[in-house]
Amino acid sequence: MDTGLIEQVRRFNRTVTQRLGALDEAYLARNRPLGQCRLLWEIGPDGREVRELRARLDLDSGYLSRMLRALGAEGLVEVGADPVDGRVRMARLTAAGLAERAELDRLSDELATSMLLPLNGSQRDRLSAAMAEVERLLAASMVEVAVVDPASPDARHCVDAYFADLAARFDNGFDPARSNPAEDAELTLPHGMLLVATLHGQPVGCGALKLRRPDWAEVKRMWVSPTVRGLGLGRRLLAELETRAAARGVRTLRLETNQALAEAIGLYLAAGYREVPAFNDEPYAHHWFAKTLAG
C-alpha cells in the first residue's frame, strides 16, 4: 500500500477526532466519552436488540456490555429480555435516557453549526459534498465479503431479495420455478459457492458460482441491496468471484442476464465480459456473456 495514502488517512483521522471532540473524556460536556453517547443515540426511542447494537457499531461483546452497565448505573438504560422472544436481549432508554438523548441531539446540532459557521457558502457546499463522499467510501470499506452456506439466514435473505427485485423489474415478472435452477447443493463446494456481503452485520449483496467443469463456471445470483448501490459492491463481488474461480483452475466464466438489468449489463461490459451466443435455455435471458480469466 502507498505510504503516502496511509499517512493521508492517518492525518485525516487525527483532524476529525480532534475537531469532533472524540478525545474528550466528557464528550459535549456530558460527563461521558463519545462511545457511550453514540450508544445512547443508537439505542433510540424504541430500543434495540443488543446483538444488533454490537453489529451496527462493530463492538466487542464484552466492551458493549461494559458500556451498557455504565449507562445503566446512571439510570439511562435498561437491558432485559424481549417480551416477544425471551431469548433476545433488548436495550431500552429510560425516561432519563430519552431526555439525555434529546440533549445530545441538541448539542450535536450546535457542534455541527460551529463547524459550518466560520465557512462561507461555497466552503460549506464543498465540505458537505466531501463529507458525503467520504461517508460513502468509508461505508464501502466496511463491507465484508465471505463464502457462506446457501441455507444460512443471510443467504436466504439475499436470494429472496434478488428474486423480488427481478419480479419487480422484469416486464412479465419473475418465477424462480421457471428459471434455470441454482440449488443449494450446486452453490456449495466443491460444486460451487455463494458469497454474501455484509455491512454492520446485515446482508447487503451476494454473488455465486456454479463450477460446471474444471475449466469453466457460471456466475449466478448477482444482487446488491438498494441501500448500498453506488458503492462499487457489484464490481467487488464480481472480482471476488473471478479470483476464487481462477484459484480453482477455471479459465472461462459465463453468465446470462435480462435486458431490463441495464446496470448489470454495464457492469459486465466494463469488467471485460463479451457478448456471446446463447449457451443455455434460460427463459428470462436476453444476453449471454463470457470472459476468459487470467492464468
Side-chain angles (χ1 to χ4, degrees), residues 3 12 22 33 47 56 79 85 87 89 97 116 129 133 138 143 151 212 215 218 232 251 260 293:
T3 56
F12 174 83
R56 285 178 64 85
V79 178
D85 185 349
R87 298 169 299 177
R89 295 176 68 234
L116 295 168
E133 182 66 7
L138 287 177
V143 174
R212 289 296 200 178
D215 60 340
E218 280 188 76
R251 296 288 294 141
L293 302 179

Side-chain angles (χ1 to χ4, degrees), residues 204-227:
V204 293
C206 64
L209 284 176
K210 288 175 69 173
L211 302 170
R212 289 296 200 178
R213 290 205 297 261
D215 60 340
W216 74 274
E218 280 188 76
V219 175
K220 308 292 290 184
R221 304 290 192 254
M222 284 290 295
W223 172 78
V224 172
S225 169
T227 61

Side-chain angles (χ1 to χ4, degrees), residues 22-271:
L23 304 178
D24 298 337
E25 282 296 315
Y27 181 67
L28 296 176
R30 299 309 292 170
N31 296 320
R32 68 182 62 85
L34 172 60
Q36 291 182 15
C37 294
R38 174 65 186 278
L39 183 55
L40 281 173
W41 192 87
E42 288 291 347
I43 293 172
D46 299 322
R48 198 177 294 273
E49 292 183 16
V50 172
R51 62 186 176 188
E52 185 180 354
L53 288 169
R54 187 167 58 247
R56 285 178 64 85
L57 296 174
D58 296 320
L59 291 176
D60 172 81
S61 59
Y63 181 52
L64 175 60
S65 294
R66 290 193 294 275
M67 284 204 294
L68 288 171
R69 284 197 298 270
L71 293 172
E74 291 188 63
L76 303 177
V77 172
E78 295 177 341
V79 178
D82 186 332
V84 177
D85 185 349
R87 298 169 299 177
V88 175
R89 295 176 68 234
M90 293 287 297
R92 293 183 175 84
L93 300 182
T94 63
L98 290 169
E100 181 65 13
R101 187 179 188 274
E103 180 63 8
L104 286 170
D105 268 343
R106 186 186 69 80
L107 293 171
S108 295
D109 286 346
E110 287 186 358
L111 175 61
T113 300
S114 74
M115 297 171 66
L116 295 168
L117 274 178
L119 307 177
N120 61 37
S122 174
Q123 289 174 321
R124 291 172 187 171
D125 290 342
R126 287 166 53 199
L127 178 61
S128 177
M131 284 179 165
E133 182 66 7
V134 168
E135 182 182 8
R136 290 172 60 79
L137 292 173
L138 287 177
S141 75
M142 290 188 286
V143 174
E144 299 180 354
V145 177
V147 176
V148 303
D149 181 348
S152 69
D154 283 355
R156 294 295 191 218
H157 170 88
C158 288
V159 172
D160 288 346
Y162 167 72
F163 289 160
D165 195 23
L166 298 187
R169 300 186 65 181
F170 289 2
D171 290 339
N172 299 310
F174 176 76
D175 179 3
R178 292 188 58 222
S179 179
N180 287 350
E183 304 294 345
D184 288 356
E186 296 178 288
L187 303 183
T188 303
L189 289 171
H191 308 294
M193 67 183 71
L194 177 67
L195 301 182
V196 166
T198 56
L199 177 61
H200 304 312
Q202 300 300 311
V204 293
C206 64
L209 284 176
K210 288 175 69 173
L211 302 170
R212 289 296 200 178
R213 290 205 297 261
D215 60 340
W216 74 274
E218 280 188 76
V219 175
K220 308 292 290 184
R221 304 290 192 254
M222 284 290 295
W223 172 78
V224 172
S225 169
T227 61
V228 295
R229 287 177 188 169
L231 299 184
L233 181 53
R235 182 67 188 93
R236 179 178 169 186
L237 283 165
L238 186 60
E240 183 75 16
L241 290 172
E242 292 174 358
T243 298
R244 291 177 180 271
R248 301 188 71 83
V250 173
R251 296 288 294 141
T252 302
L253 282 183
R254 297 176 180 175
L255 59 91
E256 76 278 341
T257 192
N258 186 280
Q259 63 187 3
L261 304 179
E263 304 93 334
I265 294 171
L267 167 66
Y268 301 139
L269 291 173

